[in-house]
Amino acid sequence: MTTLGNRLKELRLEANLSQSEAAKIMDKTLRTYQRYENDEREPGIRAALNLARYYNVSVNYLVGDSDDRKL
């Protein structure tokens, strides 16, 4: 099963962003962002929506509920 952390890492790498850059985009600390990618913590709904918008994917794709980026 694909997790939110797996998807975040995949999307971040596709966008050629470092974890630090991704954390700044989210207005989070680096450690908080790392916890998201390591599936140790989940972002709130607003943060998830902002991430989905930034990466131009659906929230369902972001959280691993769908393999269709636009569903």
Side-chain angles (χ1 to χ4, degrees):
M1 180 174 139
T2 302
T3 65
L4 175 106
N6 295 137
R7 286 282 160 86
L8 278 179
K9 184 174 183 178
E10 168 193 320
L11 292 166
R12 176 180 60 78
L13 293 174
E14 284 178 13
N16 292 314
L17 296 172
S18 68
Q19 286 184 329
S20 294
E21 291 167 326
K24 284 182 185 179
I25 289 165
M26 290 183 66
D27 195 29
K28 301 292 182 187
T29 66
L30 173 59
R31 186 64 191 127
T32 295
Y33 181 80
Q34 289 169 331
R35 286 183 175 126
Y36 294 154
E37 275 198 12
N38 292 328
D39 290 312
E40 296 169 6
R41 185 173 178 178
E42 292 184 353
I45 189 68
R46 284 280 170 223
L49 286 169
N50 289 337
L51 283 165
R53 285 186 190 121
Y54 180 83
Y55 289 120
N56 197 29
V57 297
S58 69
V59 173
N60 285 338
Y61 178 81
L62 184 67
V63 300
D65 284 346
S66 171
D67 289 331
D68 183 346
R69 289 184 177 218
K70 299 299 178 186
L71 184 62

